[in-house]
Amino acid sequence: MYQCIKNTFGIEAKANRWLEYHSEEELQRMVSVLQDERVLHVGGGSNLLFTQDFDGTVLHSGIRCVMPVASDADYVWIRVGAAIIWDDFVAYTVANGWSGAENLSLIPGEVGASAVQNIGAYGVEAKDLIDKVECVSLKDGTRRVFRNEECDYGYRSSIFKHALKGQYAVTYVTYRLMKRFVPHLEYGNLRNQLSSVAKLTPADVRRKIIEVRRSKLPDPKVIGNAGSFFMNPIVSYEKFESLRAQYPQMPFYEMPEGVKIPAGWMIEQCGWKGRSLGRAGVYEKQALILVNRGGATGKEVVRLCETIQQDVANKFGIEIHPEVNFI
Ligand code: EPU
């Protein structure tokens, strides 16, 4: 094993080899040669936790192109290669005056992963903007195009994370942006924070989101992390009412399928914010984020994860689950 696998947690992990392709045809040729070999397809490594080396081949897309492919009075459709850095794509849409992606500014990772994870922030999710996802099968190299409705999108989930996990590589995602600016300012304090701006543009929203994220979230170049480590659990109304009676100050968001409780708040209530277990820790400013305090192994992060899960279950009777993929 000799090839190091890049990951924003800064955890050392190796694979037998690393291959990058630059077209669908090149990927198809690789798939036909790899046959039964173990394959792990990665993006920017911003949502991975390596608990061991990977005994197989790591594939990475090098398809980097951004092209408007259609347009009407209201919308523009952009076909984006999976290897484009997500935030470069957001910057491009905002520079063109198109709206929709600005709330998703500064999310780490690449465009391919945006469609797999259904990335989301500040009241917007990738699924709200995705038109279709082009893929190549890692089993037999066949091409398949998934329309948005076929991707089974939900909160931080998609068909590519569940029913078809590990079976397809995303090669292109077609995003549909709006020509007219429709701001989404309902989340948290955004509306207030932008109230002094006279004629709001997507660029103003992007600037504010970048400022908020920089103030709350750790930069992986400085301190290893994978963004939110856990997903926010969605509980039944019954469970929510009983918790609220006990914790009247508990933040919550009503969703069609129940009530979302911020896991970061629960982890903080358990006393974990800013604490460490070995070389893994909980970020001081956002308890949903686990960090590598320097030289942590994946197993140390897993131990911290499991201890926190247990504490949250004991105190609130709620199971929280990682959004990060364990390898
Ligand atoms: N909270 C605490 N303590 C904490 C963290 C949060 O009390 O340590 C409370 C906050 O005060 C607030 C509530 O929990 O009342 C929600 O916090 P926040 O707005 O920071 O958002 P979040 O639910 O913790 C989610 C996403 C983030 C995204 C933000 C903003 C998930 C798993 N995470 O976090 O996404 O940036 O909302 O939309 O849904 C990511 O996926 O990597 C990510 C950073």
Side-chain angles (χ1 to χ4, degrees):
M1 292 213 181
Y2 57 96
Q3 289 266 243
C4 289
I5 314 171
K6 200 178 79 176
N7 63 96
T8 60
F9 241 122
I11 282 172
E12 266 183 46
K14 294 189 181 68
N16 298 343
R17 61 180 164 172
W18 166 283
L19 296 176
E20 186 171 272
Y21 54 88
H22 299 87
S23 67
E24 290 187 328
E25 294 69 29
E26 196 182 355
L27 172 58
Q28 286 170 321
R29 282 196 296 276
M30 285 177 183
V31 169
S32 70
V33 172
L34 288 168
Q35 297 206 344
D36 292 335
E37 190 165 333
R38 283 185 77 208
V39 165
L40 172 67
H41 196 288
V42 301
S46 57
N47 211 36
L48 296 177
L49 176 68
F50 284 95
T51 60
Q52 57 193 337
D53 288 330
F54 183 72
D55 186 13
T57 295
V58 173
L59 286 178
H60 182 249
S61 171
I63 302 181
R64 295 183 184 90
C65 59
V66 181
M67 191 151 3
V69 286
S71 159
D72 66 13
D74 301 317
Y75 298 104
V76 57
W77 283 259
I78 323 280
R79 184 174 184 240
V80 197
I84 292 286
I85 304 289
W86 169 260
D87 193 54
D88 290 350
F89 171 59
V90 177
Y92 160 87
T93 65
V94 168
N96 279 283
W98 299 322
S99 137
E102 58 278 1
N103 287 36
L104 304 177
S105 290
L106 214 63
I107 294 183
E110 296 172 0
V111 165
S114 71
V116 174
Q117 303 292 341
N118 184 23
I119 56 173
Y122 305 100
V124 175
E125 292 181 308
K127 75 166 170 58
D128 307 333
L129 311 169
I130 287 174
D131 175 46
K132 64 180 178 190
V133 182
E134 292 171 65
C135 297
V136 166
S137 163
L138 293 171
K139 289 210 162 112
D140 58 18
T142 50
R143 288 189 74 243
R144 183 166 165 193
V145 181
F146 294 78
R147 315 261 0 142
N148 180 310
E149 321 75 77
E150 294 173 296
C151 295
D152 275 352
Y153 280 128
Y155 167 61
R156 294 292 197 275
S157 85
S158 74
I159 197 164
F160 311 111
K161 267 185 92 170
H162 299 289
L164 298 180
K165 187 174 172 154
Q167 294 189 35
Y168 284 92
V170 172
T171 50
Y172 297 91
V173 185
T174 301
Y175 274 93
R176 190 186 73 165
L177 283 310
M178 275 169 294
K179 291 183 170 173
R180 192 168 58 87
F181 180 32
V182 181
H184 287 278
L185 307 176
E186 299 73 31
Y187 192 92
N189 214 11
L190 262 188
R191 191 177 297 282
N192 281 343
Q193 289 175 310
L194 284 163
S195 60
S196 62
V197 183
K199 198 174 174 301
L200 203 64
T201 65
D204 295 319
V205 176
R206 172 168 167 78
R207 212 172 300 118
K208 180 52 71 182
I209 299 272
I210 288 177
E211 189 187 310
V212 172
R213 287 187 72 98
R214 287 213 170 115
S215 71
K216 271 204 206 173
L217 308 177
D219 179 351
K221 289 194 198 95
V222 181
I223 179 158
N225 76 90
S228 300
F229 191 89
F230 296 100
M231 289 185 280
N232 289 324
I234 298 172
V235 303
S236 67
Y237 279 92
E238 218 180 353
K239 174 76 187 166
F240 165 66
E241 290 301 349
S242 79
L243 277 173
R244 205 178 177 200
Q246 217 180 337
Y247 304 100
Q249 75 292 16
M250 179 178 75
F252 63 92
Y253 306 98
E254 289 192 49
M255 310 279 291
E257 57 282 41
V259 184
K260 197 191 261 185
I261 313 287
W265 178 83
M266 292 192 282
I267 296 168
E268 181 173 352
Q269 298 300 307
C270 291
W272 272 108
K273 200 170 184 170
R275 272 177 60 195
S276 297
L277 193 60
R279 290 167 292 183
V282 179
Y283 190 52
E284 290 70 21
K285 296 187 206 162
Q286 216 315 357
L288 199 54
I289 298 178
L290 302 192
V291 294
N292 178 353
R293 300 234 185 258
T297 62
K299 291 205 166 75
E300 271 177 293
V301 179
V302 172
R303 191 159 67 99
L304 175 61
C305 159
E306 287 172 355
T307 312
I308 291 172
Q309 283 176 309
Q310 195 57 58
D311 284 1
V312 168
N314 292 344
K315 189 168 171 72
F316 296 99
I318 293 180
E319 277 183 31
I320 57 169
H321 299 285
E323 93 144 298
V324 167
N325 296 310
F326 290 20
I327 308 292

